[in-house]
Amino acid sequence: MEYIESIRNEQIKNAVKLQTKKYQIKENAYFLEGPHLINEAVAAGVPLQQLLITENHEDDHVVKQYYDNSWVIADNVAKHLAATETNQGMFAIAPIPTMTLPEQISGGWLLLDAVQDPGNVGTMIRTADAAGYAGVIIGTGTAWPFNPKVVRAMQGSQFHLRLVQMPLADAIAQFQAAQAPVYGTLVNQDAVDYRTVKPTGTFGLVIGNEGNGMNPELAKETTANLVIPLPGKAESLNAAIAAGVLMFQMV
Amino acid sequence: MEYIESIRNEQIKNAVKLQTKKYQIKENAYFLEGPHLINEAVAAGVPLQQLLITENHEDDHVVKQYYDNSWVIADNVAKHLAATETNQGMFAIAPIPTMTLPEQISGGWLLLDAVQDPGNVGTMIRTADAAGYAGVIIGTGTAWPFNPKVVRAMQGSQFHLRLVQMPLADAIAQFQAAQAPVYGTLVNQDAVDYRTVKPTGTFGLVIGNEGNGMNPELAKETTANLVIPLPGKAESLNAAIAAGVLMFQMV
């Protein structure tokens, strides 16, 4: 295995650049950090393009599997690549998956309408995965899912469900064509108590922007708008909490 | 109203120090930033000790109400006090409330067992408030609730419900003495599906540490341990999401 000892090595420069959206789109690849995420990727059959490891990982099972695409890096290089103070000496370059809606939609889908906070987007994707949803549709204005903060919060869920990027108006039209209900979350006088809805089969659930909620134009196209009644004094829930409560109602 | 133009003014130095736990406990007070939180405090009848405002706020309703405890600060002083890049020119010093359990416990209570992340603690308190819980008990090892990051995530919920700080073993004993159930969240073979439990009246719900879960010694004392079945592939939920799903089941 080749040894990389300088942060000026081209591969290392490339790995750093693969933490930015612009370069990720250009190269159709992104950066993964840590054995947990990398093992999840391998378990899901993701063809890693490069594995960059410190010496202590040379005998790891995953390294043997990707031997031809593995490089040993010096500790200072690992430190340079890591987002966190304490790095675990394992990094990878993974391909960005196909981000289109399957022709036949089935199962539960989470639709994100301009959800801006990367931590919220990552947590919502992780929750959708835990709740058994088929995929998450990233609408216009929503944080890019391969932003390192989203990747950290997703905890590997991108390997378990389908991520799709498209305007939500188009996505909703496709659910309508498939005669599948789409539930919105615009709080208006027609909104119904979320506990009265328990869809089975194929459906969509739209979560809106943290501050402004869901786009009213989109909400006109939904089957119903759901509201979580709040018996207490707080005016609203954190967007990721609201999404979690709704998603688990719809399991 | 007196005008403060220097960040070396003693009152300003004091306000900065009131963002640290040590000084908060010494002075029994903490720091609030922004009109939203300050208006929430005033609406809840909290006796603000000081109000520090930029000139544009001089005619605000809340400022008139606290006129004798208000100071006008220069823009550079506001910038110095603010945690965020864009500050809204309004800060206050508020008393730390009494943090003991009421003699007669009633309603729903959230018990936090070594929840370490300040954002998680703040979000959980906000969710408990929205769900109509009576209070939150901050157990040993849980983030201090007047840490600025917790205060930001609580969004004023500290003015709506009771915050209590005590060892959870003592709190659970008090619930037992009041014959009120306490639900834990230790995942073990005896754990029951959270959807089968719908307590009314007085109860406690314990949420554990983000990485290690709930202390098994405490879990021995609970009425039952609840589990959220995860039909998907993610191994676990974010702690604040799990807490939100459980709390709304128990509304």
Side-chain angles (χ1 to χ4, degrees), chain A residues 36 40 123 126-127 129-132 157 160 194-195 228-238 240-241 244-245 248 251, chain B residues 36 40 123 126-127 129-132 157 160 194-195 228-238 240-241 244-245 248 251:
Chain A
H36 174 73
E40 287 273 345
T123 300
R126 177 180 170 194
T127 308
D129 175 21
S157 289
H160 304 152
Y194 79 110
R195 291 167 295 191
I228 303 174
L230 302 183
K233 292 179 197 149
E235 285 161 25
S236 64
L237 290 171
N238 165 291
I241 301 292
V245 170
F248 273 87
V251 161
Chain B
H36 173 73
E40 288 271 345
T123 301
R126 177 180 171 194
T127 309
D129 175 20
S157 289
H160 303 153
Y194 79 110
R195 291 167 294 191
I228 303 174
L230 302 182
K233 292 180 196 147
E235 284 162 23
S236 64
L237 291 171
N238 165 292
I241 301 292
V245 170
F248 273 87
V251 163

Side-chain angles (χ1 to χ4, degrees), chain B residues 85-131:
Chain B
E85 285 285 318
T86 53
N87 81 78
Q88 295 181 271
M90 191 181 264
F91 309 88
I93 308 297
I96 287 181
T98 307
M99 291 179 76
T100 52
L101 203 58
E103 277 193 36
Q104 289 278 20
I105 317 167
S106 73
W109 287 78
L110 182 69
L111 283 65
L112 302 183
D113 177 29
V115 180
Q116 287 177 317
D117 180 78
N120 277 344
V121 169
T123 301
M124 288 181 193
I125 293 170
R126 177 180 171 194
T127 309
D129 175 20

